[in-house]
Structures are given as C-alpha cells and as structure tokens.
Amino acid sequence: MLKVFQDLTALIDSVGICLFTSFAIGLPEVAAQYREAVGSDESDGDILLKGERVWNLEKRFNIAAGVEKDTLPPRLLREQLPEGPAKGKVSELHTMLEEYYQLRGWDSEGIPTEDKVKELGL
C-alpha cells in the first residue's frame, strides 16, 4: 500500500495536480486527467509506472547528494509504546525496510538495483 501511494503521489506532483486531491481521488481519476491532458491512451498501470520512475529518480538523486536515510527518529526506534494494542512494542523498522526494499526492487541498503533502473528505463 505504501509503495502504490508513494508512486501515486509522485505522479500527482509531476503532473501538477494538488497533492491534497489524493484524499478524494485516486489513480483512475488522475490517469484520466493525464490521458486528456497529453492525448494518451496509456493504461492506468502504465501511467502509475511514471510515478514509480519519479520515486526511483528522487531516491537515486538523494543518495548521490548524500541526504538519503531511511530511518525514524531515535525515540520511535527504542522507546516502547506505553499503551494501546501495541503496548510494549517498538518500531520494527529494519524488518519493514527489508520487505519494502525488496518490493521496490532495491538492494539491502535501499539503493535501486541496476535491474530496476533498466526495467524503468532510467
């Protein structure tokens, strides 16, 4: 769900639609607007792929600039939640990042692989 939302928000930002519209509309509406604007007959999935390209380009740029770090504030990584259904738990960021990186096609350090770069035509 996170990956799709990130790809969609990258697409929305790229086509110049207000990001706040993503609370009311989704990919079908954004893709329809894109098709009308550029005279395209691309599928929703092909249009969403543009957002994935942007997300990967941003990731590569941030890594090259030395500003990319997939983490949370230290407090969230070490302090147990004091109450609620997750009482006593701390973020399992490392486990979540492993799964996220795999889903994105990135290596274990969170860097887009050459295969992913080629797949996206970057």
Side-chain angles (χ1 to χ4, degrees):
M1 187 167 83
L2 173 63
K3 179 190 175 300
V4 171
F5 188 71
Q6 288 173 332
D7 293 347
L8 180 60
T9 57
L11 174 66
I12 289 170
D13 283 342
S14 297
V15 299
I17 300 172
C18 176
L19 184 57
F20 290 114
T21 63
S22 66
F23 296 112
I25 65 173
L27 177 59
E29 295 83 8
V30 173
Q33 291 178 32
Y34 174 86
R35 282 189 286 272
E36 287 296 320
V38 301
S40 167
D41 63 352
E42 295 172 88
S43 71
D44 289 5
D46 287 341
I47 294 170
L48 184 61
L49 187 62
K50 295 173 189 314
E52 183 177 3
R53 285 187 187 110
V54 170
W55 196 263
N56 278 268
L57 280 171
E58 289 177 354
K59 178 72 169 178
R60 289 175 53 128
F61 176 88
N62 288 341
I63 290 168
V67 296
E68 185 65 27
K69 182 90 172 142
D70 294 322
T71 191
L72 294 170
R75 179 177 170 215
L76 297 177
L77 297 172
R78 66 175 181 258
E79 290 184 22
Q80 296 180 352
L81 290 169
E83 57 188 54
K87 180 180 179 177
K89 296 192 182 267
V90 295
S91 172
E92 296 178 12
L93 182 64
H94 179 72
T95 302
M96 291 185 288
L97 283 178
E98 286 178 5
E99 183 179 342
Y100 175 74
Y101 292 163
Q102 184 178 16
L103 181 66
R104 279 258 174 226
W106 298 349
D107 69 16
S108 63
E109 300 297 314
I111 299 170
T113 63
E114 286 304 312
D115 286 343
K116 176 52 76 172
V117 170
K118 287 178 186 174
E119 172 192 327
L120 296 173
L122 303 175

